[in-house]
Amino acid sequence: MTTQEKLIEGLRQAFPAESQAALARRAGLSVQRFNNYCTGIRTMDVDAVIGCAQALGWDVRKAVADHEIETAPTPRVKALWRKLAATAMVVTIAAGIAAAPTAATVLTGSAKAGMYIM
């Protein structure tokens, strides 16, 4: 299943009572444009991937990178997106570790201690 298919299916599952027009509006897309993506007439551009991923609360960077890897016109472009996706993952993990609360902060509410909980 492609990223485009996952995004469309994700919207349908997350908002099962909504019409296709409502799903399109949720993603910030015109109804015709969204319909073209659903029927496979068009491949999503980055703007559409961003809109759908945001509507679902998914990681936009990952969704865009996955989609660009799948639709890359050349091996060089595909390799670039793979490197960017890996870099984004490392940055996300590092940011999560840096933001982790310390034991002293959790126990005392103080941010002065230096022992981290892993």
Side-chain angles (χ1 to χ4, degrees):
M1 185 177 260
T2 66
T3 301
Q4 177 169 324
E5 292 167 336
K6 289 176 188 175
L7 289 166
I8 293 167
E9 186 60 28
L11 286 168
R12 288 179 177 152
Q13 288 181 4
F15 311 103
E18 293 193 7
S19 67
Q20 192 158 305
L23 295 176
R25 283 191 297 276
R26 217 177 246 289
L29 304 170
S30 71
V31 176
Q32 185 61 45
R33 187 173 166 200
F34 187 72
N35 183 55
N36 286 343
Y37 298 142
C38 292
T39 58
I41 292 172
R42 286 182 61 183
T43 301
M44 285 185 178
D45 56 16
V46 174
D47 179 63
V49 173
I50 292 168
C52 292
Q54 286 176 336
L56 289 165
W58 291 4
D59 182 350
V60 173
R61 291 171 297 200
K62 182 176 179 354
V64 169
D66 289 347
H67 180 69
E68 290 298 313
I69 289 166
E70 294 165 3
T71 60
T74 66
R76 183 178 10 200
V77 174
K78 188 176 283 201
L80 171 71
W81 277 105
R82 283 198 173 119
K83 285 181 184 177
L84 291 172
T87 302
M89 183 59 68
V90 169
V91 170
T92 301
I93 291 169
I97 290 170
T102 64
T105 302
V106 172
L107 296 175
T108 66
S110 168
K112 295 179 184 175
M115 186 174 102
Y116 288 93
I117 300 171
M118 294 285 171

